Amino acid sequence: MISTMNILFAICAVVCIFRVQDVVGGATEEQMWAAGGLMRDVCLPKFPKVTKEIADGIRAGNLPNEKDAKCYVNCILEMMQTMKKGKFLYEASLKQVEILMPDHYKEEYRAGLAKCKDVAVGVKNNCEAAYTIFTCLRGEITKFVFP
């Protein structure tokens, strides 16, 4: 089990990667993947049924219809500040795109977020809501990036 200290360290590391002076025009792809790796390192141990191979498959867009996989995605989306308690945070997601995404991703991500912002409305289970959002975004964004 990951301790609170490890989670705080991961969050601090993500903040350090994206220092304000480095993100004027968005993050580099290297910075984006480094931040994603930190999120993955925090979330994977919480869901032992999600192996590295399954996580790699999710990264490629193949999300199994299984509880642990859906909850792993929810964990990542919450760390990305895209979801909170099963609710999609559209405005926060737009801000994350501006800060964390390289410029050439932004337009398509903004459009995808807009199309998917309401797909999980009414979904009661946090993990199911994350699955619904993930599936929509994966379908709407051709260069979909997920840790």
Short mmCIF file of all heavy atoms in Angstrom, two decimals, residues 16 21-22 29 34 36 39 49 68 84 86 98 102 106-107 111 119 124 128 131 135 140 146-147:
data_model
loop_
_atom_site.label_atom_id
_atom_site.label_comp_id
_atom_site.label_asym_id
_atom_site.label_seq_id
_atom_site.Cartn_x
_atom_site.Cartn_y
_atom_site.Cartn_z
N CYS A 16 6.77 20.10 -9.72
CA CYS A 16 8.13 20.52 -10.06
C CYS A 16 8.42 20.36 -11.55
O CYS A 16 9.10 21.18 -12.15
CB CYS A 16 9.16 19.72 -9.26
SG CYS A 16 9.18 20.20 -7.52
N GLN A 21 7.69 28.72 -15.25
CA GLN A 21 8.46 29.24 -16.37
C GLN A 21 8.62 28.23 -17.50
O GLN A 21 8.93 28.60 -18.62
CB GLN A 21 9.83 29.75 -15.92
CG GLN A 21 10.78 28.66 -15.48
CD GLN A 21 10.89 28.54 -13.98
OE1 GLN A 21 9.99 28.89 -13.24
NE2 GLN A 21 12.00 28.03 -13.51
N ASP A 22 8.39 26.96 -17.25
CA ASP A 22 8.56 25.94 -18.28
C ASP A 22 7.29 25.68 -19.08
O ASP A 22 7.33 24.96 -20.06
CB ASP A 22 9.00 24.61 -17.65
CG ASP A 22 10.43 24.67 -17.13
OD1 ASP A 22 11.17 25.57 -17.56
OD2 ASP A 22 10.79 23.82 -16.31
N GLU A 29 6.46 17.01 -24.68
CA GLU A 29 5.96 15.64 -24.60
C GLU A 29 6.70 14.87 -23.52
O GLU A 29 6.12 14.06 -22.81
CB GLU A 29 6.08 14.93 -25.96
CG GLU A 29 5.04 15.46 -26.92
CD GLU A 29 4.71 14.50 -28.05
OE1 GLU A 29 4.71 13.27 -27.83
OE2 GLU A 29 4.43 14.99 -29.13
N ALA A 34 6.46 12.16 -18.36
CA ALA A 34 7.05 12.01 -17.02
C ALA A 34 5.98 12.19 -15.95
O ALA A 34 5.92 11.41 -14.98
CB ALA A 34 8.18 13.02 -16.83
N GLY A 36 2.78 11.69 -16.34
CA GLY A 36 1.92 10.52 -16.44
C GLY A 36 2.52 9.31 -15.76
O GLY A 36 1.82 8.53 -15.11
N MET A 39 1.92 9.53 -12.05
CA MET A 39 0.53 9.19 -11.71
C MET A 39 0.32 7.68 -11.77
O MET A 39 -0.32 7.10 -10.89
CB MET A 39 -0.43 9.89 -12.68
CG MET A 39 -0.46 11.38 -12.54
SD MET A 39 -1.50 12.10 -13.81
CE MET A 39 -0.84 13.73 -13.90
N LYS A 49 -4.87 -6.07 -9.39
CA LYS A 49 -5.34 -6.87 -10.53
C LYS A 49 -5.00 -6.20 -11.86
O LYS A 49 -5.09 -6.83 -12.91
CB LYS A 49 -6.85 -7.11 -10.44
CG LYS A 49 -7.24 -8.04 -9.31
CD LYS A 49 -8.74 -8.27 -9.29
CE LYS A 49 -9.13 -9.12 -8.10
NZ LYS A 49 -10.59 -9.28 -8.01
N ASP A 68 -11.54 -3.27 -11.44
CA ASP A 68 -10.23 -2.72 -11.08
C ASP A 68 -9.66 -1.83 -12.18
O ASP A 68 -9.05 -0.80 -11.90
CB ASP A 68 -9.25 -3.83 -10.72
CG ASP A 68 -9.38 -4.29 -9.28
OD1 ASP A 68 -10.35 -3.89 -8.60
OD2 ASP A 68 -8.52 -5.06 -8.82
N LYS A 84 -13.60 14.13 -10.09
CA LYS A 84 -13.61 14.13 -8.63
C LYS A 84 -14.93 13.54 -8.18
O LYS A 84 -16.00 14.03 -8.56
CB LYS A 84 -13.45 15.54 -8.08
CG LYS A 84 -13.35 15.57 -6.56
CD LYS A 84 -13.05 16.96 -6.05
CE LYS A 84 -12.86 16.93 -4.56
NZ LYS A 84 -12.52 18.25 -4.04
N GLY A 86 -16.55 10.97 -9.13
CA GLY A 86 -17.43 10.56 -10.21
C GLY A 86 -17.94 11.68 -11.09
O GLY A 86 -18.70 11.44 -12.02
N GLU A 98 -4.35 23.31 -21.15
CA GLU A 98 -3.54 24.49 -21.41
C GLU A 98 -2.17 24.40 -20.75
O GLU A 98 -1.17 24.82 -21.33
CB GLU A 98 -4.26 25.75 -20.94
CG GLU A 98 -5.50 26.08 -21.75
CD GLU A 98 -5.24 26.16 -23.24
OE1 GLU A 98 -4.25 26.78 -23.67
OE2 GLU A 98 -6.03 25.57 -23.99
N PRO A 102 1.32 19.64 -24.84
CA PRO A 102 2.04 20.38 -25.87
C PRO A 102 1.03 21.08 -26.80
O PRO A 102 -0.11 20.61 -26.96
CB PRO A 102 2.80 19.28 -26.63
CG PRO A 102 2.92 18.15 -25.64
CD PRO A 102 1.66 18.22 -24.82
N LYS A 106 -3.62 20.60 -28.23
CA LYS A 106 -4.63 21.38 -27.52
C LYS A 106 -5.97 21.51 -28.24
O LYS A 106 -7.02 21.32 -27.63
CB LYS A 106 -4.08 22.76 -27.16
CG LYS A 106 -3.00 22.68 -26.10
CD LYS A 106 -2.46 24.05 -25.76
CE LYS A 106 -1.37 23.92 -24.70
NZ LYS A 106 -0.84 25.22 -24.31
N GLU A 107 -5.96 21.84 -29.50
CA GLU A 107 -7.23 22.09 -30.20
C GLU A 107 -8.12 20.84 -30.20
O GLU A 107 -9.31 20.91 -29.89
CB GLU A 107 -6.96 22.54 -31.64
CG GLU A 107 -8.22 22.95 -32.37
CD GLU A 107 -7.93 23.51 -33.75
OE1 GLU A 107 -6.85 24.12 -33.96
OE2 GLU A 107 -8.79 23.34 -34.62
N ALA A 111 -11.83 20.23 -28.16
CA ALA A 111 -13.04 19.76 -28.85
C ALA A 111 -13.54 18.45 -28.25
O ALA A 111 -14.74 18.27 -28.02
CB ALA A 111 -12.76 19.60 -30.34
N VAL A 119 -21.21 13.13 -20.78
CA VAL A 119 -21.53 11.71 -21.01
C VAL A 119 -21.69 10.91 -19.71
O VAL A 119 -22.38 9.90 -19.71
CB VAL A 119 -20.51 11.00 -21.93
CG1 VAL A 119 -20.52 11.60 -23.31
CG2 VAL A 119 -19.13 10.98 -21.33
N LYS A 124 -23.72 6.87 -11.34
CA LYS A 124 -23.54 6.98 -9.88
C LYS A 124 -22.19 6.46 -9.39
O LYS A 124 -21.62 6.98 -8.46
CB LYS A 124 -24.66 6.22 -9.15
CG LYS A 124 -26.04 6.73 -9.47
CD LYS A 124 -26.28 8.11 -8.94
CE LYS A 124 -27.71 8.56 -9.21
NZ LYS A 124 -27.84 9.98 -9.22
N GLU A 128 -17.35 3.65 -12.88
CA GLU A 128 -18.15 3.58 -14.12
C GLU A 128 -18.15 4.93 -14.83
O GLU A 128 -18.09 4.99 -16.06
CB GLU A 128 -19.58 3.15 -13.82
CG GLU A 128 -19.73 1.69 -13.45
CD GLU A 128 -19.41 0.72 -14.59
OE1 GLU A 128 -19.58 1.08 -15.78
OE2 GLU A 128 -18.95 -0.39 -14.29
N TYR A 131 -14.89 5.25 -16.59
CA TYR A 131 -14.93 4.39 -17.77
C TYR A 131 -15.69 5.08 -18.91
O TYR A 131 -15.23 5.08 -20.06
CB TYR A 131 -15.60 3.06 -17.40
CG TYR A 131 -15.77 2.08 -18.52
CD1 TYR A 131 -14.71 1.27 -18.93
CD2 TYR A 131 -16.99 1.93 -19.17
CE1 TYR A 131 -14.87 0.35 -19.96
CE2 TYR A 131 -17.16 1.02 -20.19
CZ TYR A 131 -16.09 0.22 -20.58
OH TYR A 131 -16.26 -0.68 -21.60
N THR A 135 -13.87 6.27 -22.34
CA THR A 135 -14.33 5.70 -23.61
C THR A 135 -14.71 6.81 -24.59
O THR A 135 -14.38 6.75 -25.77
CB THR A 135 -15.51 4.75 -23.35
OG1 THR A 135 -15.08 3.72 -22.44
CG2 THR A 135 -15.98 4.10 -24.63
N GLU A 140 -13.13 10.35 -29.31
CA GLU A 140 -13.17 11.70 -29.89
C GLU A 140 -11.80 12.31 -30.21
O GLU A 140 -11.70 13.22 -31.00
CB GLU A 140 -13.93 12.66 -28.95
CG GLU A 140 -15.39 12.33 -28.79
CD GLU A 140 -16.18 12.52 -30.08
OE1 GLU A 140 -15.78 13.34 -30.93
OE2 GLU A 140 -17.19 11.81 -30.25
N PHE A 146 -2.76 8.77 -22.51
CA PHE A 146 -3.13 8.32 -21.16
C PHE A 146 -1.94 7.60 -20.57
O PHE A 146 -1.32 6.78 -21.23
CB PHE A 146 -4.35 7.38 -21.24
CG PHE A 146 -4.99 7.13 -19.90
CD1 PHE A 146 -5.88 8.04 -19.37
CD2 PHE A 146 -4.68 5.99 -19.17
CE1 PHE A 146 -6.47 7.82 -18.13
CE2 PHE A 146 -5.26 5.76 -17.94
CZ PHE A 146 -6.16 6.68 -17.41
N PRO A 147 -1.65 7.91 -19.29
CA PRO A 147 -0.46 7.29 -18.68
C PRO A 147 -0.63 5.79 -18.52
O PRO A 147 0.21 5.03 -18.41
CB PRO A 147 -0.36 7.95 -17.31
CG PRO A 147 -1.43 8.94 -17.20
CD PRO A 147 -2.30 8.84 -18.40
#
